[in-house]
């Protein structure tokens, strides 16, 4: 393919040629089928959840944000996350390791960038070298076999999930940018010298003469670990895409840990039948590729108590 590097002071014919060759640099639009038949490499028996059952989470890349519309025409801001070759590497059992967990790997990283013990672990699991590896604590009824490949059908549209990641690095900030301080007045001697954006007093008088720990002062903002609760708006199994509705930390292509909701937020999933220990397809059944949460029963743009037209109009 012909590709010309475009600079700032290139002639017009170079810029015109880059416009004509733009279609070659962009990948073609993928053809997404309506339904597909799913098969598993290793047989897994589905079962009903036990008391306090805890399923395994997955790893995903943050791809970016976009807007989607539901059946009522309401706009939803979502974050696209991709589960890239998410595979179970090892299982931790109570008899051998003292706790129960599932070790999950995602993505790809060249073998020359791994140590020999890590490569031996990937060879034992029968998978390619992974870019990121993490562990998820599970219960004994949700342990998965080694080599199992996760699918986005592990989550159900409409359920709440627990997302953890690292925030963006924003450099050195003052207290107004770091902790949202309101600042000082612009009068009474605070007109110059940057005093309006300062934090003011940071300790007591001469009787104490010390600054206590964890006092909010200027410093670096990010990268910090952040956890949020998001809602699964849509899933697409062809490209293993998760569309999350909510705040997702980190840059694009950042690594995220996604699992079922915890604490009080998990009560919002009581009406949803989650697959335990994971999604297990039935033989000869065609499943829809794209699944979206159920729309609201009531039109969000219809308000009977506030009629559109008044009687006197």
């Amino acid at each position: 393919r012909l590709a010309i590097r475009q600079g700032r002071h290139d002639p017009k014919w170079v810029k015109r040629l880059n416009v004509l060759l733009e279609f070659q640099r962009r990948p073609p639009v993928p053809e997404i089928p309506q339904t597909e038949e799913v098969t598993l490499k290793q047989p897994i028996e589905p079962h009903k959840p036990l008391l306090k059952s805890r399923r395994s989470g997955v790893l995903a890349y943050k791809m970016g944000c976009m807007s989607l519309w539901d059946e009522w025409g309401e706009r939803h801001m979502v974050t696209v996350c991709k589960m890239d070759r998410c595979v179970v590497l090892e299982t931790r059992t109570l008899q051998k390791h003292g706790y129960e967990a599932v070790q999950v790997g995602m993505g790809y990283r060249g073998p020359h960038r791994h140590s020999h013990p890590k490569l031996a672990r990937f060879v034992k699991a029968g998978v390619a070298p992974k870019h990121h590896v993490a562990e998820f604590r599970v219960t004994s009824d949700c342990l998965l076999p080694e080599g199992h490949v996760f699918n986005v059908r592990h989550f159900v549209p409409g359920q709440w999930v627990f997302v953890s990641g690292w925030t963006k690095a924003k450099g050195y900030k003052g207290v107004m940018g770091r902790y949202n301080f309101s600042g000082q007045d612009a009068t009474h001697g605070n007109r110059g010298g940057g005093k309006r954006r300062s934090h003011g007093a940071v300790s007591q008088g001469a009787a104490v003469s010390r600054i206590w720990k964890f006092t909010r002062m200027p410093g670096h903002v990010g990268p910090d670990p952040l956890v949020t609760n998001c809602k699964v708006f849509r899933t697409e199994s062809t490209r293993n895409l998760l569309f999350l509705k909510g705040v997702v930390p980190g840059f694009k292509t950042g690594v995220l840990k996604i699992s079922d909701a915890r604490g009080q937020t998990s009560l919002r999933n009581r009406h949803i039948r989650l697959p335990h220990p994971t999604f297990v397809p039935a033989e000869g059944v065609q499943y829809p590729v794209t699944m979206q949460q159920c729309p609201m029963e009531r039109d969000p743009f219809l308000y009977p108590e506030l009629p559109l037209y008044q009687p006197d109009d």
Side-chain angles (χ1 to χ4, degrees), residues 38-269:
V38 186
T39 57
L40 294 180
K41 296 182 179 180
Q42 299 180 1
I44 300 177
E45 295 183 0
H47 58 79
K48 294 183 179 180
L50 303 178
L51 183 62
K52 296 184 179 181
S53 290
R54 189 171 185 177
R55 302 194 308 161
S56 172
V58 300
L59 295 173
Y61 290 114
K62 179 180 177 180
M63 305 304 296
C65 300
M66 63 180 299
S67 297
L68 294 176
W69 284 262
D70 57 5
E71 286 79 354
W72 291 111
E74 186 179 2
R75 178 171 174 256
H76 299 272
M77 192 66 184
V78 297
T79 303
V80 185
C81 302
K82 181 178 178 59
M83 295 169 48
D84 185 20
R85 293 163 283 188
C86 194
V87 184
V88 176
L89 299 179
E90 291 184 12
T91 56
R92 307 294 186 181
T93 58
L94 194 63
Q95 296 79 8
K96 186 176 181 181
H97 304 91
Y99 66 100
E100 294 171 336
V102 172
Q103 194 175 83
V104 180
M106 179 196 62
Y108 175 79
R109 174 174 285 183
H112 62 282
R113 301 187 64 183
H114 287 285
S115 61
H116 288 281
K118 291 185 178 180
L119 290 176
R121 180 173 56 179
F122 297 137
V123 171
K124 180 181 176 182
V127 297
K130 296 299 178 181
H131 170 244
H132 194 79
V133 179
E135 278 191 5
F136 294 91
R137 299 294 291 265
V138 298
T139 53
S140 58
D141 59 323
C142 294
L143 289 173
L144 298 173
E146 298 180 1
H148 171 72
V149 181
F150 282 100
N151 192 278
V152 291
R153 302 180 191 274
H154 183 73
F155 299 104
V156 180
Q159 81 164 101
W160 288 83
V161 293
F162 184 83
V163 182
S164 62
W166 288 83
T167 59
K168 298 180 180 180
K170 298 185 178 180
Y172 195 88
K173 298 289 183 180
V175 290
M176 295 184 66
R178 191 181 186 189
Y179 297 108
N180 198 21
F181 279 19
S182 60
Q184 301 185 22
D185 296 335
T187 57
H188 302 290
N190 286 341
R191 296 187 177 181
K195 195 66 177 178
R196 296 171 54 187
R197 301 186 64 88
S198 64
H199 47 70
V202 295
S203 180
Q204 289 85 353
V208 179
S209 300
R210 66 174 299 182
I211 298 178
W212 300 100
K213 280 188 176 182
F214 311 110
T215 302
R216 293 185 292 180
M217 300 181 71
H220 283 278
V221 179
D224 300 319
L226 180 66
V227 295
T228 57
N229 291 317
C230 298
K231 192 175 184 180
V232 180
F233 183 78
R234 179 187 291 183
T235 61
E236 184 184 312
S237 59
T238 301
R239 294 177 290 180
N240 272 346
L241 297 180
L242 273 173
F243 299 85
L244 302 180
K245 186 177 179 182
V247 180
V248 177
F251 287 98
K252 294 180 181 178
T253 68
V255 179
L256 302 172
K257 296 176 68 175
I258 306 175
S259 57
D260 295 336
R262 307 175 186 178
Q264 294 291 333
T265 314
S266 62
L267 301 179
R268 302 180 184 178
N269 296 335

Side-chain angles (χ1 to χ4, degrees), residues 4-16 18:
I4 298 178
R5 187 173 181 179
Q6 184 176 355
R8 184 176 180 181
H9 304 288
D10 290 335
K12 291 184 178 180
W13 70 270
V14 175
K15 298 179 180 179
R16 178 60 179 171
N18 278 280

